[in-house]
Amino acid sequence: MVVLKKPLLMARELIARCVSPGDVVVDATAGNGHDTLFLAELVGDQGKVYSFDIQEEAISKTAQKLIDARLLPRVHLICSGHENIAFYVKEKVSAVMFNLGYLPGKNHLLVTRPDTTLSALKASLEKLRFGGVITLVLYSGHTGGEDEKKTIIDYCSKLEQGRFTVFLYEMINWANYPPALLSIEKHNSVK
Ligand SMILES: C[S@@+](CC[C@H](N)C(=O)[O-])C[C@H]1O[C@@H](n2cnc3c(N)ncnc32)[C@H](O)[C@@H]1O
């Protein structure tokens, strides 16, 4: 058994710890639908997942995965940028997952960007309930990735201590730009 899980799996482990059946959560980057499906299973039939992507193809792939698993009724699929979270999501949420970058095997120009990712993160911090968690899997190997990673880390490193705990989890001995996981927990009192 591997104890130190890779960032994508570690993100899921953190999310699973703070999400209960009946909760409302967000997948900020639907992509091929793996994370949306994972979240739909976690929230149960009384919960709700809002799932965003700017690409029709990602939304339809995600929809098909959910139909196959009979979980589509739990998910609100939104073909729009995650920077519009505040417009679509009115409830407090337990978790927000970001898996940044581009849709694997597709157009590398349709990629998450520092300014819109940062807007979405700020909106997510507002929507997050106390005790909730945001995970961001950051990639630096593609054009603009390093800039996005730096933008997010710089912003999060200044989040008020006591209101937020922020962790950066990164493999520092792997070649070829391995992903990193940034996770944020929101508190209602000074820790
Ligand atoms: C690495 S993929 C996500 C993988 C996905 N979580 C999964 O489980 O398969 C990144 C996705 O972010 C999407 N994306 C890019 N800019 C976005 C934006 N502003 N809002 C929402 N999604 C965006 C891309 O279209 C792409 O599908």
Side-chain angles (χ1 to χ4, degrees):
M1 190 186 81
V2 177
V3 175
L4 292 176
K5 295 187 174 156
K6 290 185 189 161
L8 272 171
L9 289 180
M10 187 57 94
R12 289 187 178 190
E13 196 154 319
L14 299 179
I15 295 288
R17 284 188 208 166
C18 73
V19 175
S20 304
D23 282 359
V24 180
V25 300
V26 176
D27 184 353
T29 50
N32 286 319
H34 302 289
D35 294 324
T36 298
L37 183 62
F38 163 74
L39 289 169
E41 284 165 353
L42 275 186
V43 298
D45 55 10
Q46 301 300 310
K48 193 195 290 184
V49 184
Y50 290 92
S51 182
F52 291 84
D53 206 292
I54 53 170
Q55 297 193 61
E56 284 284 359
E57 186 180 350
I59 294 295
S60 57
K61 271 194 167 176
T62 301
Q64 193 55 55
K65 266 206 177 59
L66 294 164
I67 290 165
D68 293 347
R70 298 173 184 270
L71 295 179
L72 187 61
R74 303 175 186 184
V75 181
H76 190 35
L77 289 167
I78 301 161
C79 192
S80 176
H82 43 218
E83 57 276 20
N84 302 314
I85 279 177
F87 178 78
Y88 289 100
V89 181
K90 298 302 174 197
E91 308 96 323
K92 284 284 180 191
V93 303
S94 304
V96 184
M97 294 187 83
F98 289 81
N99 184 357
L100 300 175
Y102 51 83
L103 196 54
K106 299 293 169 188
N107 187 346
H108 290 201
L109 296 176
L110 291 170
V111 70
T112 55
R113 298 186 186 282
D115 54 342
T116 43
T117 302
L118 186 58
S119 298
L121 175 58
K122 289 177 181 174
S124 300
L125 288 167
E126 287 295 320
K127 291 282 163 203
L128 196 66
R129 68 160 171 80
F130 296 128
V133 166
I134 297 174
T135 59
L136 298 109
V137 178
L138 308 163
Y139 299 85
S140 52
H142 60 278
T143 307
E146 189 65 53
D147 187 22
E148 182 177 48
K149 181 178 175 185
K150 184 177 179 320
T151 300
I152 296 304
I153 292 175
D154 283 354
Y155 178 77
C156 290
S157 65
K158 297 185 189 86
L159 284 173
E160 189 187 335
Q161 185 183 336
R163 288 192 66 214
F164 299 100
T165 301
V166 185
F167 270 90
L168 181 61
Y169 179 79
E170 186 162 24
M171 294 178 285
I172 59 171
N173 69 329
W174 278 40
N176 302 326
Y177 308 101
L181 169 64
L182 191 136
S183 49
I184 306 164
E185 183 174 357
K186 186 174 184 177
H187 305 296
N188 66 350
S189 60
V190 175
K191 292 279 146 193

